[in-house]
Amino acid sequence: MSDRLSMIDLFAGCGGMTVGFKREGFDPVMSVEWDRAAAATYAANFGEGHTHWGDIEKVPDSEIPPAQVIIGGPPCQGFSNLGSKDVDDPRNTLWKQYLRFVVKARPEVFVIENVERFSRASEFQLLLAEADHGMIKDYKLTPGVLLAADYGVAQRRPRTIVIGSRIGEIPLPKPTHAKVPTGELKPWETVRSRIAGIDPHPTTTELPDSTTEYFGERIRGEFKGTDIHFGRQPTAMSLERYDHIPPGGGRFNLPDHLLSRCWREKKTGTTDVMGRMRWDAPSLTIRTEFFKPEKGQYLHPQWEEDPERRVNRVITHYEASLLQDFPKEYLWCGSKTEIAKQIGNAVPSGLAAAIARHLKGYLN
Ligand SMILES: C[S@@+](CC[C@H](N)C(=O)[O-])C[C@H]1O[C@@H](n2cnc3c(N)ncnc32)[C@H](O)[C@@H]1O
């Protein structure tokens, strides 16, 4: 008899969360994702058979299998600092879909992952109301914000995690790593541990010209890590800017003549803009536009006094995937922007694995 556990991944993206759960002994029996490129990436790595490409609202109840665990995070749109409690808000329909799966599949436990400010969203109010007296009233909820770096991921990515359980309340997993380690805690993982040794000078700026069939249609891919290690063609002005920014620095290191008008006018805030990573610290959050240095701290960490030895570029898709904790051998489908979106949207597998490992101790 197999001692593996069954799970459903909703809003599965390219499968970041599934990577972590699978590593800890869970097997997906269904995944749902409507972005074709993301669903194809998921299928390339976990098989097309259980991958449902399409709108979650169109999945009939009769196709929802039983599972011990449901994971996933519906995209959150309804943020309201006023704390709207209108559970009939149409923006909540994706949440109702998540709950429909919980009611039908009857998992012992479900896990919701979302942006840090989720607790201020109207969807959070909906969830609390449904657990109190609605569709999932036999589940106890434990919400909290976890920092991926505290669970062995080389990234300071805060995420809201909610564990819902009908087998007794389950606390959130305890950190295993810390910035200043004490006792059994290990030090935070670093950018060096993930991307040192990767060719600092990519030889191409394009994806290979290949396609594969998924869901009866041709899609770009499947690409290996080395295929998504492509460079960009920055302007002379961009290169001059990158050159001035040391590790940990950003737009505030630029001389006046290299500042854009909006940076010159906005003297404070957005400190990670045009930032350069540090080798010996975790990265900051990798978002969907990590290939644009003006969007965050995405410049390659190698910066030395000798300009010849500097790596004057933004991280590649491959490096971003490794900082997001994808395995080196992960396969990718889609265009450059579609793949970047998949990477930036994902839950780092180390965080997902820490949650999965923790849940195993409670599951029957
Ligand atoms: C934050 S991403 C999920 C990331 C994923 N958990 C991972 O670890 O890689 C949310 C996903 O929900 C998908 N999505 C949004 N609305 C959907 C819908 N109505 N039906 C199915 N998928 C949907 C988006 O395309 C997106 O890929």
Side-chain angles (χ1 to χ4, degrees):
M1 207 180 96
S2 159
D3 54 3
R4 293 187 68 85
L5 299 149
S6 59
M7 64 172 232
I8 297 176
D9 191 350
L10 300 177
F11 308 95
C14 64
M17 238 179 152
T18 288
V19 175
F21 271 75
K22 192 145 191 198
R23 196 186 298 153
E24 292 300 324
F26 289 77
D27 283 328
V29 291
M30 183 179 203
S31 76
V32 182
E33 169 57 51
W34 75 355
D35 177 299
R36 190 168 70 99
T41 295
Y42 181 99
N45 292 282
F46 303 107
E48 192 174 332
H50 69 276
T51 307
H52 181 97
W53 165 48
D55 186 349
I56 192 166
E57 303 200 22
K58 307 245 162 67
V59 179
D61 275 358
S62 57
E63 283 180 21
I64 301 175
Q68 283 159 293
V69 171
I70 292 187
I71 59 173
C76 202
Q77 296 143 320
F79 288 102
S80 159
N81 290 328
L82 300 172
S84 159
K85 293 200 176 56
D86 179 7
V87 292
D88 293 324
D89 185 328
R91 292 172 299 188
N92 290 328
T93 51
L94 288 180
W95 286 81
K96 288 261 160 85
Q97 291 301 321
Y98 189 99
L99 299 181
R100 177 168 72 93
F101 271 72
V102 172
V103 169
K104 186 73 195 11
R106 291 291 294 153
E108 289 165 44
V109 174
F110 63 83
V111 180
I112 290 171
E113 177 270 347
N114 225 288
V115 289
E116 190 183 5
R117 61 203 171 122
F118 173 56
S119 63
R120 297 196 298 277
S122 55
E123 286 94 332
F124 186 61
Q125 300 302 326
L126 166 94
L127 193 68
L128 295 181
E130 293 293 347
D132 186 50
H133 54 264
M135 291 164 81
I136 51 163
K137 61 177 182 305
D138 46 348
Y139 286 84
K140 292 252 175 303
L141 302 185
T142 315
V145 175
L146 306 185
L147 186 66
D150 288 346
Y151 297 86
V153 175
Q155 190 186 152
R156 278 166 54 184
R157 186 183 188 93
R159 303 309 273 183
T160 294
I161 300 293
V162 182
I163 297 180
S165 162
R166 64 175 175 83
I167 50 172
E169 199 165 325
I170 302 183
L172 294 171
K174 292 217 165 57
T176 49
H177 293 66
K179 183 175 183 184
V180 183
T182 49
E184 290 186 351
L185 296 177
K186 298 188 199 122
W188 275 351
E189 290 288 342
T190 63
V191 169
R192 187 187 300 282
S193 72
R194 295 300 192 273
I195 67 168
I198 295 191
D199 184 359
H201 304 294
T203 50
T204 171
T205 55
E206 293 306 325
L207 284 169
D209 207 9
S210 61
T211 62
T212 312
E213 190 172 311
Y214 280 106
F215 319 112
E217 295 178 15
R218 306 295 304 177
I219 183 145
R220 296 193 69 186
E222 307 153 349
F223 302 121
K224 298 192 295 290
T226 43
D227 296 331
I228 63 165
H229 189 52
F230 50 80
R232 297 177 61 80
Q233 292 168 308
T235 61
M237 162 84 121
S238 294
L239 284 172
E240 212 184 327
R241 282 178 172 150
Y242 306 167
D243 223 11
H244 278 83
I245 299 172
R251 69 177 175 110
F252 296 107
N253 294 90
L254 293 176
D256 201 62
H257 73 280
L258 289 177
L259 291 176
S260 69
R261 215 179 100 203
C262 76
W263 292 342
R264 202 171 285 129
E265 283 166 8
K266 196 168 184 321
K267 298 248 185 280
T268 56
T270 54
T271 46
D272 55 342
V273 161
M274 266 290 172
R276 189 179 291 279
M277 297 181 175
R278 296 173 199 267
W279 274 124
D280 292 311
S283 75
L284 302 184
T285 300
I286 305 291
R287 300 196 183 86
T288 54
E289 291 191 307
F290 60 78
F291 51 88
K292 296 182 182 170
E294 65 278 15
K295 296 279 181 174
Q297 194 194 70
Y298 301 133
L299 292 173
H300 191 283
Q302 187 166 319
W303 191 89
E304 301 187 23
E305 284 304 320
D306 175 3
E308 292 290 302
R309 292 174 53 86
R310 264 176 223 167
V311 176
N312 218 10
R313 63 167 174 81
V314 75
I315 50 165
T316 65
H317 282 44
Y318 183 42
E319 289 160 339
S321 78
L322 299 176
L323 290 168
Q324 269 285 57
D325 233 15
F326 282 96
K328 287 190 166 167
E329 60 281 5
Y330 214 64
L331 299 171
W332 299 94
C333 295
S335 67
K336 288 178 179 178
T337 11
E338 285 170 331
I339 295 172
K341 194 166 144 203
Q342 294 166 32
I343 294 171
N345 267 337
V347 178
S349 65
L351 177 58
I355 297 168
R357 208 161 36 243
H358 175 68
L359 293 182
K360 273 193 303 190
Y362 293 88
L363 289 165
N364 297 315

